[in-house]
Amino acid sequence: MSDPNENVSNENPEDLAHGGNAPSYVVGVGASAGGLEALERLFENMPTDSGMAFVVVQHLSPDFKSLMDELLARRTDIPIYRVTDGMRLQANAIYLIPPKKNMELSGGCLHLTAQNVGSLNLPIDIFFRSLAKDAKEKAIAVVLSGTGSDGSRGIQDVHEAGGLVVVQSIQSAGFDGMPRSALGTGITDVVCPPDSIASRILEYIQSPATFINQEAGEEDLPDSSEFVTIFKLFRNQYGIDFSMYKPTTIVRRIERRLKLARCGSLAEYSKLVEGDARELDVLYRDLLVEVTQFFRDLEAFQKLRNSVIPGLLDQAIETGELRIWVPGCATGEEAYSLAMLATEAIERRGLKIELKLFASDVHQTSMETASSGVYSSASVSRMPLEFRDRFFTRIGDLYHISTDLRQKVIFAPHDITKDPPFTRIDLISCRNVLIYFNQDVQKRVISLFHFGLNVGGVLFLGPSESIGELEREFEPIDRQWRVYRKLRNVRLADTGPISPQPPLTRVVYTRPSYVATQTRGDKSWTVPEAYDHLLSKYVPPSLLINQHLELVHSFGDTRRLLVQPEGKATLDVLKMVEGDLRTAMNAALHKASTKEETIAFEGVRVRSDLGESLYRIVAEPYHKGSEKMYLVSLEQMAAPVQTSQDMEPVQFDSADQSAQRIVALERELDYTKETLQATVEELETSNEELQSANEELVASNEELQSTNEELHGVNEELFTVNSEHQKKISELTQLTEDMDHLLKSTQIGTVFLDTDLKIRKFTVEAKDAFHILDQDIGRPISHIAHNLKDVELVEEARNVLETHRPVERAIESRLGKTYLMRLLPYEGTRGSDGVVVTLIDTSRILSLHRQLEESDR
């Protein structure tokens, strides 16, 4: 039988096989609780000559020796190495991380660093990030069973570097925390059970391009009616229209959620999200791909720091203000990065320029995270130290943005597909957002960015995005990092609003018509026309106005008095009249509204094409149903007019009415100011109380998060250790059974004694010489009677225990049997651990020997 540990080594593979070749691909495997079985199934199906190197990163207990190498060696013939610092990767080998260490790949070599005791440690993320940086498109990241979220951040780096991301299916995982977190990123290439991972990886390395195309081609568009239902739910709940996103992106994420929810069809999943608000929210967050970090693509930010921002500051000196907009800011890392660069540049040059940075997103929860300005140590780990030390304060394991920098960033909900853009902007940074929109929406959004930018303003896009057909409107500053400068002010054709189907709860109903219309039947049509004739002949020009002062209907000939102003058409009556008529009408409508009575002014001077005339204006409240409206009549004064007793006409004085109106407005303004001041004071008091309560909650939350992560880590380590111990126990149980059968098959009386000469184990054949019962285990051998002649068993056993020299001699029993007695020292791992007494029955052999001797005589 071959030793299962013969392919386990602590040696560097370069020392064992000179001339070994470098791996074609490097496969990083992250596993934790429940990962042992998945690793065994993965490597059982992996051929020994794949040409790849496999690096296994686990959450290992620091206090117990890992048996992973021995356990895997039973399932695969691939050589297994325990990693030492500086070990170079070779093809067709498995490398295991040692306990208490983090591991990174650099220059094809594995480098070990000590873990930080007492703080959150994510070894899988650390290795995956170094794997992406070193192996680039030759990197393959595999996430197996485990709790927590370790690995979900590192696979994003592998994906961006062009590598393959493989995740164990949730159904096959013993613990689904790590696979679920990895799937939540939306960038997974392959999801399958551990048995199939090897074959999928082998398919990929044969032809990566074909493999990716096949993966993409496997997803067909389901019934579009179900998508319309889901899109309507999003417009209804969140006011966002996902129908403008790329279909492949939307389909992939919806189908992933469909599988995770274990729905058999899209129709079934559509019914689920209609009735389950939580699933709708999970899908919403899944569709909004939020991958961001501080100073992402550091070289691009260096370009902004050295070349772009100084030029923008030169332009901002005249206005005294630098305005930056970051649409799609997610959790705020990119917005704060730009705020740091701008603040540092302004202070370095000693300029008196106010920085205003607008950061917007459609996801409210992400903006709340960004607004808090609190980030984990992992989030700030890769940003330049000069910015981290200057703009962050460390509290425990969390980093808090400085108050001064936080006050310069304004977070606001904003949808770039439907809301108007921020204007007079010097720099717009919209990175890796447009790639999720279809081409028409991309063009319109870039047109809106062009509208919002100042001439000379800068547009900063993601490395996979471009300005498409609008190149003539922008000057490229850096084509590699997609940095462009606006050339001129010109209205583009695509700056109009993007109009999706209206949400179900946001339909704007048209105003009801206040003039009934009828179809002409028989000769009844003559009656309305007669009414119109009489109105125009005998009724003074009159207006029906709604509560918004908009013209609803006109009676009589009002064309001489109402004129459309230049520019955009309007129904605002006060904009359609001029001079004293505007002042009188405004005052009359105001008094009629506040006093709820009819108001009349006389002697209002009105200039028209026929010259100057005096008019009498009457404003009367007119209520029809729930609508509050006004009837205004404009009667030319040719003679004294008979008035009703309840209405006293007032001689109109333009200056006096204007003064009264100004006094009334000032009183309203003073009251509004007082009310506003009281409200502000109440809000300030409430805000202070809320801030105090929020600080306490944040502190409690941080403690709970820290404790939770620690418990997760301990639980994973205990589960891993327990899995290894269960394997070892089953092996020891099998070994014990094998030993029992071996001792029975020898038919030799055997007694195992410990260092105190107490019985530890014995065979059935030993009962012929010793009066031993099963319950005698643990009793001293000196308490047990025996049938052996001339044997001082206790003394001889102690002599063997002290001298470590075996004793062998022939003896007889009182029953007439002869034995070959051996006393052997029991040599354990800690030295001498007792004595083994064996009695071989030689009675039959001696009897046959005597018979042979007698026959020879």
Side-chain angles (χ1 to χ4, degrees):
M1 181 182 295
S2 62
D3 185 359
N5 296 328
E6 64 184 358
N7 60 328
V8 179
S9 175
N10 288 314
E11 301 292 335
N12 192 318
E14 290 182 305
D15 300 332
L16 299 176
H18 295 288
N21 60 324
S24 57
Y25 286 82
V26 180
V27 182
V29 184
S32 185
L36 175 60
E37 179 185 1
L39 286 168
E40 290 178 339
R41 292 164 63 185
L42 165 61
F43 289 115
E44 267 183 340
N45 295 279
M46 184 64 67
T48 58
D49 58 350
S50 66
M52 296 179 285
F54 304 89
V55 183
V56 179
V57 183
Q58 285 183 283
H59 294 166
L60 298 175
S61 170
D63 303 318
F64 297 92
K65 178 185 176 183
S66 174
L67 303 176
M68 180 61 68
D69 49 359
E70 299 178 17
L71 298 174
L72 288 182
R74 290 169 170 79
R75 302 301 183 103
T76 180
D77 292 329
I78 302 174
I80 302 173
Y81 302 97
R82 303 181 186 94
V83 175
T84 57
D85 191 36
M87 179 178 284
R88 178 169 292 278
L89 289 181
Q90 294 293 316
N92 306 318
I94 300 173
Y95 299 85
L96 304 180
I97 187 174
K100 303 181 183 179
K101 299 291 184 181
N102 288 328
M103 182 165 59
E104 293 185 347
L105 178 64
S106 178
C109 296
L110 296 172
H111 299 279
L112 302 177
T113 56
Q115 293 181 353
N116 294 325
V117 180
S119 62
L120 177 62
N121 188 59
L122 301 172
I124 301 174
D125 278 331
I126 292 173
F127 179 75
F128 281 174
R129 284 169 174 162
S130 67
L131 173 64
K133 186 176 181 180
D134 192 76
K136 297 182 175 57
E137 70 278 0
K138 299 295 184 180
I140 299 176
V142 180
V143 178
L144 300 179
S145 172
T147 60
S149 60
D150 197 7
S152 61
R153 303 161 190 83
I155 61 173
Q156 298 177 19
D157 293 65
V158 174
H159 176 73
E160 292 174 6
L164 182 72
V165 177
V166 183
V167 177
Q168 180 179 357
S169 60
I170 290 178
Q171 294 80 1
S172 66
F175 292 84
D176 64 1
M178 283 170 47
R180 192 177 293 276
S181 297
L183 290 172
T185 62
I187 58 173
T188 305
D189 297 307
V190 177
V191 181
C192 61
D195 297 328
S196 305
I197 291 178
S199 61
R200 301 309 299 276
I201 292 177
L202 292 172
E203 290 177 26
Y204 171 75
I205 65 175
Q206 293 296 324
S207 179
T210 303
F211 182 86
I212 295 298
N213 290 335
Q214 288 175 350
E215 289 293 305
E218 289 173 1
E219 299 183 7
D220 298 324
L221 283 172
D223 185 7
S224 60
S225 64
E226 308 298 341
F227 276 91
V228 171
T229 301
I230 296 175
F231 291 158
K232 284 184 178 179
L233 288 172
F234 282 122
R235 292 201 303 272
N236 183 25
Q237 184 71 20
Y238 302 104
I240 186 171
D241 187 7
F242 282 111
S243 64
M244 292 181 289
Y245 284 53
K246 286 184 177 177
T248 53
T249 303
I250 298 300
V251 169
R252 177 171 299 197
R253 282 165 175 75
I254 290 180
E255 289 193 346
R256 190 179 67 82
R257 286 303 312 166
L258 183 150
K259 293 175 184 176
L260 293 178
R262 299 182 178 179
C263 294
S265 65
L266 186 61
E268 182 181 348
Y269 183 70
S270 176
K271 293 180 180 178
L272 173 64
V273 296
E274 282 188 87
D276 189 343
R278 181 180 174 277
E279 177 62 27
L280 182 65
D281 183 65
V282 171
L283 177 60
Y284 174 60
R285 288 186 283 110
D286 206 14
L287 292 175
L288 296 175
V289 184
E290 297 179 337
V291 181
T292 184
Q293 67 186 49
F294 287 103
F295 296 96
R296 186 180 184 185
D297 298 326
L298 185 57
E299 185 179 340
F301 279 87
Q302 288 289 359
K303 181 70 177 180
L304 293 182
R305 184 184 189 184
N306 299 331
S307 304
V308 176
I309 292 181
L312 294 178
L313 291 179
D314 292 337
Q315 297 178 13
I317 292 176
E318 182 178 351
T319 61
E321 185 180 59
L322 178 66
R323 296 165 64 88
I324 300 175
W325 178 25
V326 182
C329 66
T331 48
E333 285 91 333
E334 182 179 337
Y336 286 124
S337 299
L338 290 171
M340 291 181 220
L341 289 181
T343 301
E344 182 248 0
I346 292 171
E347 294 179 355
R348 184 175 64 246
R349 296 177 57 177
L351 300 175
K352 293 184 179 180
I353 293 178
E354 180 184 4
L355 171 63
K356 285 187 178 180
L357 193 148
F358 304 94
S360 62
D361 202 280
V362 296
H363 193 205
Q364 185 64 32
T365 304
S366 297
M367 284 196 299
E368 290 173 359
T369 302
S371 182
S372 67
V374 180
Y375 296 92
S376 66
S377 55
S379 298
V380 302
S381 61
R382 292 191 291 174
M383 68 182 300
L385 291 178
E386 59 177 309
F387 291 110
R388 189 182 70 183
D389 295 341
R390 180 177 177 184
F391 293 105
F392 286 86
T393 301
R394 182 172 183 176
I395 302 177
D397 290 334
L398 298 176
Y399 287 81
H400 295 245
I401 289 281
S402 67
T403 303
D404 291 340
L405 188 69
R406 172 62 188 85
Q407 292 176 347
K408 296 175 182 178
V409 183
I410 302 168
F411 291 97
H414 184 278
D415 187 346
I416 58 176
T417 64
K418 67 178 184 179
D419 295 330
F422 292 89
T423 56
R424 297 184 293 111
I425 301 297
D426 299 298
L427 169 62
I428 296 179
S429 176
C430 184
R431 311 191 71 218
N432 304 310
V433 175
L434 300 179
I435 56 175
Y436 300 107
F437 295 138
N438 59 47
Q439 292 293 329
D440 292 339
V441 177
Q442 287 184 20
K443 184 178 180 181
R444 291 183 181 181
V445 170
I446 294 176
S447 298
L448 292 173
F449 288 163
H450 182 276
F451 176 80
L453 281 170
N454 292 324
V455 175
V458 173
L459 178 61
F460 184 27
L461 301 178
S464 301
E465 298 166 333
S466 67
I467 55 177
E469 301 175 6
L470 300 177
E471 283 192 349
R472 65 183 181 278
E473 301 298 335
F474 291 92
E475 174 191 4
I477 299 175
D478 190 310
R479 291 188 180 276
Q480 179 185 358
W481 296 114
R482 303 299 192 269
V483 184
Y484 303 93
R485 178 181 289 111
K486 177 179 175 179
L487 294 176
R488 58 175 180 164
N489 269 334
V490 61
R491 184 175 179 84
L492 301 178
D494 295 294
T495 54
I498 304 170
S499 302
Q501 293 295 324
L504 298 179
T505 60
R506 296 193 179 185
V507 176
V508 180
Y509 293 94
T510 58
R511 292 190 179 90
S513 174
Y514 299 104
V515 178
T517 58
Q518 292 182 340
T519 58
R520 297 187 177 186
D522 300 327
K523 294 186 178 181
S524 60
W525 57 270
T526 60
V527 176
E529 290 195 358
Y531 276 124
D532 291 340
H533 176 72
L534 291 173
L535 287 174
S536 62
K537 187 173 183 180
Y538 297 105
V539 175
S542 302
L543 308 173
L544 180 61
I545 302 172
N546 64 18
Q547 60 184 347
H548 303 294
L549 303 184
E550 293 176 335
L551 179 63
V552 176
H553 193 80
S554 64
F555 306 91
D557 186 8
T558 59
R559 291 174 294 176
R560 293 182 289 108
L561 303 174
L562 301 182
V563 180
Q564 276 288 338
E566 293 182 1
K568 186 177 180 181
T570 180
L571 291 176
D572 189 337
V573 172
L574 296 181
K575 292 183 179 180
M576 300 169 70
V577 294
E578 298 178 344
D580 289 352
L581 182 57
R582 177 186 294 178
T583 305
M585 191 179 295
N586 190 12
L589 288 170
H590 176 70
K591 287 185 177 182
S593 174
T594 55
K595 295 182 179 181
E596 286 292 326
E597 63 183 26
T598 302
I599 303 297
F601 289 145
E602 292 182 345
V604 180
R605 295 182 180 276
V606 178
R607 291 184 178 87
S608 65
D609 296 338
L610 301 177
E612 185 176 281
S613 304
L614 295 179
Y615 275 80
R616 182 174 183 273
I617 298 178
V618 179
E620 177 186 353
Y622 175 70
H623 297 280
K624 184 177 181 181
S626 60
E627 294 290 330
K628 184 178 181 180
M629 309 185 75
Y630 304 94
L631 283 171
V632 178
S633 63
L634 309 170
E635 183 177 358
Q636 188 172 0
M637 296 179 62
V641 181
Q642 185 69 29
T643 61
S644 61
Q645 296 179 356
D646 60 345
M647 181 184 67
E648 185 101 19
V650 178
Q651 192 67 25
F652 179 74
D653 186 342
S654 177
D656 180 59
Q657 291 297 329
S658 298
Q660 290 182 23
R661 180 62 174 154
I662 291 172
V663 170
L665 291 174
E666 287 178 346
R667 288 174 182 171
E668 291 181 8
L669 182 59
D670 290 339
Y671 175 76
T672 304
K673 285 182 177 178
E674 292 174 1
T675 305
L676 180 60
Q677 182 61 32
T679 305
V680 168
E681 291 175 357
E682 293 175 3
L683 287 175
E684 287 178 349
T685 303
S686 301
N687 187 47
E688 291 175 0
E689 295 174 356
L690 290 173
Q691 282 183 343
S692 176
N694 184 58
E695 289 174 0
E696 295 175 2
L697 290 174
V698 169
S700 301
N701 186 50
E702 291 172 358
E703 294 175 3
L704 289 174
Q705 286 180 339
S706 177
T707 303
N708 185 50
E709 289 290 349
E710 291 175 3
L711 290 175
H712 271 306
V714 171
N715 181 61
E716 291 171 359
E717 292 169 357
L718 289 176
F719 188 86
T720 303
V721 171
N722 182 61
S723 299
E724 295 177 354
H725 285 176
Q726 289 291 342
K727 284 278 186 179
K728 205 67 176 178
I729 288 171
S730 62
E731 293 177 2
L732 290 174
T733 301
Q734 184 65 42
L735 183 61
T736 300
E737 293 177 355
D738 293 343
M739 290 296 297
D740 288 340
H741 287 295
L742 175 63
L743 291 174
K744 288 178 182 179
S745 64
T746 59
Q747 297 182 349
I748 296 175
T750 307
V751 180
F752 295 88
L753 305 177
D754 60 16
T755 53
D756 296 326
L757 301 185
K758 293 180 180 179
I759 300 172
R760 197 156 59 188
K761 192 178 181 66
F762 64 89
T763 61
V764 176
E765 288 75 13
K767 292 182 178 181
D768 294 339
F770 298 93
H771 302 296
I772 304 177
L773 302 176
D774 291 339
Q775 57 266 33
D776 289 333
I777 291 178
R779 293 183 61 188
I781 191 65
S782 58
H783 294 180
I784 307 299
H786 58 80
N787 299 323
L788 305 177
K789 296 180 181 179
D790 302 325
V791 175
E792 296 295 335
L793 185 61
V794 175
E795 294 182 2
E796 293 185 36
R798 284 177 178 164
N799 184 51
V800 170
L801 195 61
E802 293 172 358
T803 62
H804 302 287
R805 294 180 180 177
V807 173
E808 181 179 325
R809 61 189 179 90
I811 60 173
E812 294 182 0
S813 71
R814 295 185 178 90
L815 301 177
K817 291 185 177 182
T818 58
Y819 296 95
L820 175 62
M821 182 181 72
R822 289 176 178 163
L823 281 76
L824 304 172
Y826 189 105
E827 299 292 345
T829 56
R830 298 185 299 272
S832 181
D833 199 24
V835 177
V836 181
V837 180
T838 60
L839 297 172
I840 302 174
D841 189 352
T842 60
S843 301
R844 183 172 179 78
I845 296 175
L846 291 175
S847 175
L848 292 173
H849 184 68
R850 292 192 191 99
Q851 291 177 8
L852 289 173
E853 288 181 347
E854 289 176 359
S855 64
D856 290 340
R857 294 175 184 173

